[in-house]
């Protein structure tokens, strides 16, 4: 018979064994749970979609494999697209028939169709986003682009303007053109221009190339003499006329030194608020070994509010090219003239228009309508970009629907599956359409909001100048 002590020992051993077995079972159960949990996550990772139904994400998706292979740049063409699309659809059907698709659902089919045949949405959306709203033709009479001038600048009182006129008196200016002698014509036009300057404008007149002759022995003399014959001050008819009579055309062409000379004088007499302009009349290239383009760049860097405007008077191709580069480097404009009429038009009208109050009146009269026309023009340009996107979007859906029709007719899918796939494709198209509409509307708003701000600026100009 088992003693009480022995029974207790046996009971303890039995409970210990049972506890160990229970612990093992719990441990195994946890392992099973962990395995099931891991297995449950795997399908989620494998079925992550490689396409999206969100507009912003669709824009970032790459073009489909078969789209890239067969269509690409032919997408927006009229004569090549249809054949390319047929080739892409045909190859898709050939490939899909070689796969086991019996267990595919609508989502798997949609994924297969989309990743093969989708267009690159960014190709047609990015040009819309990058479209620059710029009213390039709307320049103020002083040459600045209206869009680049702040309302604060337009609200300021009429600023002081310093104008340096440089006249080329090299020997070639003795030649005649239709209407008279080049030097005489230049002097006459510059005088008329100076007479028209407003009370807030100071003018100086400097001459270069008027010393010595065009011979080699006189080169140093001619190239080293740039003379201010009328110092910077308000226009005085008597003194200015006398200044014009002090020189004649005779020597070389130190254009670079003349620009440096004018820059130095303007900088010494102008404040940060003063608008400064250099006007040049020349009929040839630099002949004194200087670099007038670099001189213009340096002057513009030294005086940020400076403009260098140049008239090329009866110039050859080489001079035309160089003078144009000089004006561009100096932030100004270049015009080539051939005769008295063109010279008068440029100096007495166009130069004056950058400074004259009368010009403001003339400018303001037409530019409200110009703003409206420019807005319409940009809106039409944007519409062309929008049409490209719409074409791409519609053709993409047509390709995919063509595949759906073939899948159904070849009994690869049934009608219910075809309907479910179609719903996904149309949802995707609607998503990119809504997104594109937002992008386009934002750009259209920018065009017309900018137009409204420009009209407000014009109103400020009218008020400030009491026109």
């Amino acid at each position: 018979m088992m003693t009480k002590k022995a029974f207790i020992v046996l009971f303890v051993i039995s409970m210990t064994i049972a506890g160990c077995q229970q612990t093992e079972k719990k441990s195994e159960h946890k392992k099973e749970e962990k395995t099931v949990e891991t297995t449950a996550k795997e399908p989620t990772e494998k079925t992550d979609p490689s396409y999206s139904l969100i507009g912003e994400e669709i824009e970032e998706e790459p073009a489909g494999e078969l789209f890239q292979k067969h269509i690409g740049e032919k997408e927006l063409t009229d004569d090549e697209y249809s054949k390319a699309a047929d080739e892409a659809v045909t190859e898709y059907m050939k490939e899909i028939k070689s796969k086991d698709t019996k267990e595919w659902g609508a989502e798997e089919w949609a994924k297969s169709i989309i990743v093969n045949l989708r267009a690159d949405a960014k190709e047609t959306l990015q040009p819309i986003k990058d479209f620059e709203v710029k009213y390039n033709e709307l320049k103020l009479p002083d040459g600045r682009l209206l869009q680049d001038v702040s309302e604060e600048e337009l609200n300021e009182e009429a600023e002081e303007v310093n104008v340096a006129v440089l006249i080329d008196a090299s020997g070639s200016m003795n030649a005649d053109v239709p209407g008279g002698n080049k030097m005489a014509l230049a002097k006459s036009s510059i005088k008329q221009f100076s007479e028209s300057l407003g009370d807030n404008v100071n003018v100086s007149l400097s001459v270069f190339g008027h010393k010595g002759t065009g011979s080699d022995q006189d080169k140093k003399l001619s190239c080293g003499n740039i003379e201010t014959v009328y110092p910077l001050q308000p226009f005085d008819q008597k003194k200015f006329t006398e200044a014009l009579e002090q020189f004649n055309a005779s020597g070389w062409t130190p254009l670079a030194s003349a620009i440096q000379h004018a820059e130095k004088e303007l900088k010494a007499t102008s404040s940060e608020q003063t608008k400064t302009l250099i006007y040049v009349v020349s009929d040839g290239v630099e002949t004194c070994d200087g670099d007038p383009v670099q001189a213009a760049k340096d002057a513009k860097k030294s005086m940020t509010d400076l403009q260098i405007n140049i008239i090329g008077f009866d110039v050859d191709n080489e001079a035309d090219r160089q003078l144009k580069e000089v004006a561009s480097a100096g932030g100004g404009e270049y015009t080539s003239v051939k005769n008295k009429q063109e010279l008068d038009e440029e100096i007495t009208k166009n130069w004056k228009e950058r400074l004259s109050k009368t010009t403001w009146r003339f400018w303001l009269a037409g530019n409200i309508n110009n703003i409206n026309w420019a807005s319409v023009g940009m809106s039409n340009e944007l519409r062309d970009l929008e049409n490209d996107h719409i074409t791409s979007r519609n053709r993409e859906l047509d390709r995919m629907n063509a595949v759906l029709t073939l899948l159904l007719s070849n009994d690869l899918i049934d009608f219910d599956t075809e309907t479910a796939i179609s719903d996904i494709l149309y949802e995707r198209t609607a998503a990119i359409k809504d997104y594109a509409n937002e992008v386009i509307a934002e750009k259209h708003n920018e065009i017309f909001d900018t137009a409204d701000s420009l009209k407000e600026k014009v109103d400020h100009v009218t008020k400030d100048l009491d026109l």
Side-chain angles (χ1 to χ4, degrees), residues 283-285 312 315-325 334:
D283 73 338
V285 297
V315 296
D316 59 22
N317 290 338
E318 182 183 1
D320 187 76
R321 178 193 58 76
Q322 186 184 78
L323 294 175
K324 187 181 296 183
E325 289 181 6
Y334 169 75

Side-chain angles (χ1 to χ4, degrees), residues 59-76:
E59 181 185 19
E60 300 302 322
E61 292 176 351
E65 293 179 14
L66 294 179
F67 176 91
Q68 294 181 58
K69 181 177 179 180
H70 294 285
I71 301 173
E73 294 180 356
K74 302 173 185 176
E75 180 188 28
L76 299 177

Side-chain angles (χ1 to χ4, degrees), residues 275-294:
K275 184 165 185 61
T276 53
L277 300 101
I278 295 176
Y279 289 106
V280 183
V281 179
S282 179
D283 73 338
V285 297
E286 165 79 33
T287 59
C288 291
D289 307 317
D291 185 346
V293 175
Q294 188 61 50

Side-chain angles (χ1 to χ4, degrees), residues 29 61 71 97 144 253 264 311 315 394 411 414 421:
H29 181 64
E61 292 176 351
I71 301 173
K97 287 178 181 179
R144 292 175 295 171
T253 310
K264 183 177 180 181
I311 293 177
V315 296
N394 289 342
D411 296 325
D414 56 29
I421 298 169

Side-chain angles (χ1 to χ4, degrees), residues 135 138-141 145-147 149-151 154-155 360-372 450-467:
Y135 289 75
L138 295 170
K139 291 184 178 180
L140 301 175
L145 199 63
L146 176 62
Q147 189 171 347
V149 180
S150 68
E151 290 189 17
L154 292 177
N155 279 327
W360 280 102
R361 292 190 179 94
F362 176 80
W363 187 89
L364 290 168
N367 273 280
I368 290 294
N369 284 334
N370 288 345
I371 292 172
N372 292 334
T450 303
D452 289 341
S453 71
L454 293 179
K455 291 174 185 177
E456 290 180 9
K457 288 182 180 182
V458 171
D459 289 340
H460 283 302
V461 173
T462 306
K463 179 180 178 181
D464 293 343
L465 296 176
D466 192 25
L467 301 179

